[in-house]
Amino acid sequence: MACTIITGSAGALILFAAPGLAQPVSATKTQSPEAIRPFHINIPAAALTDLRQRVLATKWPEKETVADQSQGVQLSTIQALANYWATKYDWRKCEAKLNSYPQFITNIDGLDIHFIHVRSKNPNALPMIITHGWPGSIIEQLKIIGPLTDPVAYGGKAEDSFDVVIPSLPGYGFSGKPTTTGWDPQHIARAWIVLMKRLGYKRFVAQGGDWGNAVTEQMALLTPPELIGIHTNMPATLPADVSKALQFGQPAPSGLSPDEQHAWDQLNFFYKHGVGYAGEMANRPQTLYAIEDSPVGLAAWMLDHDAASLALITRVFNGQSEGLTQEDIVDNITLYWLTGTAISSARLYWESKLPFFDPKGVTIPVAVSAFPDELYQAPKSWTEKAYPKLIYYNKLDKGGHFAAWEQPKVFAEEMRAAFKSLR
């Protein structure tokens, strides 16, 4: 059986059964589980050959019977992706990019956590932990590492520097896969606080979107003294009457402002046409064997996250220039495939019992960037009520669910502005 070999500290070998089935990473006998161990990726050629063969052997269905995306990912889009994946894509470029950053593994509560950790040359840099979501990964944040840690090189000022910590969620990427229940956003939040303190930070901020927002808000609710503020690009701000009406398919509450009505329209569409993937993963994640077995099946499942992102990706594979490239998109899917995390990542939906968009009562300083193609563009009126210590709000005119990935320059500028008052 072919194996993926990941090299840890002291020459320890970490094995992943091909085509992906990730196994927990173990410390050497001379190390404690809490040790912070260097991490390096080296996927065997056999795993990449297996992937290419599976893509080429895909059994295709007939074309959709409509001229739009209303039935899901269009055949032309996924076939263009598969053709690129099998004939032009080079994982080694992504692997080299990941390995160009300092990567580590440490054990928290019995689970190995993988993370990128880049320290700024500025000794007064503000530490920030950034959490991805599904169907994202650490690949989402690679483009913002340079602008955040070395702002001068990207048109910023030295005093805007950050130290950056980017962990892989449990069951995602190169982090371990939980073998017991209980790794919900609250547990992950506690683990992230342990991680930042283990790295020696006595003062830091946190950022997240999608599941990253859920984890980041739960960190804020724990009010550790070291956490001085958070930023989110997918805030939880829905007023109770709006949330109830959406949940039960009722008409919009009266008296909504234009911005509030726009947010309602976006969420109403998402609740009716876009949340199916989340329902299946929240209820029956183990049933999704097909996406663990078929790379093209996995790709289609990941692409169909939200209508705006799917439309962007469709344009990319039609040859248009967008914030993402074909390589960007396939890098992220390939990471899921090679680590065998299709189902382990889906279980987070099953674990969480949190309402995604309802305010949680965060009382520490909060900064919000509202991107137009997010699942909904949070109005300032709702945001101010949801976060009583709102220190920053900006309504952007470009960017979507994967904002750091799609618009890294804008996102980095948002981080500098968002946390300026906390330095």
Side-chain angles (χ1 to χ4, degrees):
M1 178 174 62
C3 291
T4 297
I5 302 177
I6 314 297
T7 305
S9 63
L13 293 183
I14 301 149
L15 302 181
F16 291 74
L21 305 176
Q23 302 298 321
V25 182
S26 300
T28 63
K29 291 181 180 179
T30 59
Q31 293 174 318
S32 71
E34 293 78 21
I36 296 172
R37 293 164 269 146
F39 187 80
H40 186 83
I41 306 164
N42 182 17
I43 303 295
L48 303 178
T49 299
D50 174 79
L51 167 58
R52 188 173 295 108
Q53 290 173 342
R54 286 169 181 262
V55 173
L56 291 170
T58 300
K59 182 179 178 181
W60 296 103
E62 65 281 357
K63 184 179 183 293
E64 63 278 359
T65 57
V66 294
D68 55 25
Q69 296 176 168
S70 59
Q71 290 184 353
V73 180
Q74 292 168 291
L75 185 64
S76 60
T77 300
I78 198 67
Q79 286 187 328
L81 185 154
N83 178 66
Y84 171 79
W85 206 356
T87 65
K88 299 178 181 179
Y89 175 70
D90 183 4
W91 162 259
R92 295 302 184 197
K93 289 175 64 178
C94 180
E95 185 175 271
K97 190 186 310 176
L98 287 167
N99 283 333
S100 73
Y101 298 106
Q103 297 176 82
F104 304 91
I105 291 281
T106 192
N107 189 283
I108 301 174
D109 295 343
L111 192 71
D112 284 307
I113 300 299
H114 166 261
F115 61 99
I116 292 171
H117 183 201
V118 182
R119 294 184 186 271
S120 172
K121 293 179 181 179
N122 180 359
N124 296 317
L126 179 62
M128 175 164 58
I129 183 168
I130 307 174
T131 309
H132 66 82
W134 185 95
S137 68
I138 57 171
I139 286 173
E140 276 184 73
Q141 283 86 28
L142 295 184
K143 297 175 187 177
I144 61 173
I145 293 174
L148 292 177
T149 59
D150 186 12
V152 174
Y154 294 84
K157 299 178 181 179
E159 57 264 32
D160 294 327
S161 301
F162 292 89
D163 282 2
V164 172
V165 179
I166 306 173
S168 297
L169 288 166
Y172 288 68
F174 296 109
S175 281
K177 297 180 180 182
T179 57
T180 59
T181 60
W183 278 94
D184 56 14
Q186 294 93 323
H187 191 168
I188 299 169
R190 295 193 298 271
W192 278 195
I193 294 168
V194 170
L195 174 61
M196 293 301 281
K197 292 169 72 173
R198 190 172 291 177
L199 292 172
Y201 292 124
K202 302 191 183 324
R203 186 174 183 269
F204 62 88
V205 295
Q207 196 286 325
D210 195 84
W211 282 118
N213 172 69
V215 171
T216 299
E217 289 200 349
Q218 291 303 311
M219 292 175 70
L221 291 175
L222 293 168
T223 62
E226 298 85 1
L227 181 60
I228 61 173
I230 67 171
H231 174 277
T232 175
N233 53 290
M234 200 186 84
T237 69
L238 296 197
D241 58 342
V242 172
S243 180
K244 180 180 178 183
L246 286 165
Q247 182 181 356
F248 294 103
Q250 298 169 352
S254 60
L256 296 181
S257 71
D259 281 354
E260 292 168 348
Q261 183 64 50
H262 177 59
W264 166 273
D265 292 340
Q266 289 177 300
L267 282 167
N268 192 39
F269 178 88
F270 181 68
Y271 272 62
K272 290 178 178 176
H273 304 290
V275 77
Y277 72 91
E280 180 65 15
M281 292 195 290
N283 285 286
R284 313 287 284 181
Q286 194 66 27
T287 297
L288 298 171
Y289 295 99
I291 63 173
E292 197 81 56
D293 182 64
S294 165
V296 169
L298 173 64
W301 186 258
M302 292 173 67
L303 259 57
D304 203 5
H305 174 272
D306 67 277
S309 296
L310 176 56
L312 182 153
I313 291 168
T314 299
R315 294 193 298 272
V316 170
F317 281 99
N318 280 338
Q320 297 184 38
S321 178
E322 293 279 353
L324 299 179
T325 65
Q326 294 183 16
E327 185 177 66
D328 287 334
I329 296 158
V330 176
D331 279 346
N332 188 53
I333 300 166
T334 305
L335 178 64
Y336 273 75
W337 176 261
L338 293 174
T339 55
T341 50
I343 286 179
S344 61
S345 63
R347 291 195 189 106
L348 183 53
Y349 286 81
W350 186 92
E351 289 284 356
S352 178
K353 303 299 183 286
L354 298 171
F356 242 116
F357 304 119
D358 293 2
K360 309 299 187 298
V362 175
T363 58
I364 72 170
V366 177
V368 170
S369 299
F371 289 90
D373 290 329
E374 182 52 271
L375 301 184
Y376 81 108
Q377 189 171 32
K380 189 174 184 181
S381 56
W382 294 356
T383 305
E384 288 174 331
K385 293 176 182 176
Y387 304 113
K389 288 189 179 178
L390 186 68
I391 57 171
Y392 179 84
Y393 173 90
N394 193 21
K395 181 181 177 183
L396 286 303
D397 59 8
K398 190 172 180 62
H401 188 70
F402 304 99
W405 204 20
E406 300 165 16
Q407 303 294 328
K409 182 177 184 295
V410 172
F411 192 89
E413 290 169 350
E414 284 295 287
M415 294 306 99
R416 296 170 194 162
F419 292 119
K420 198 169 194 66
S421 66
L422 298 182
R423 289 185 181 270

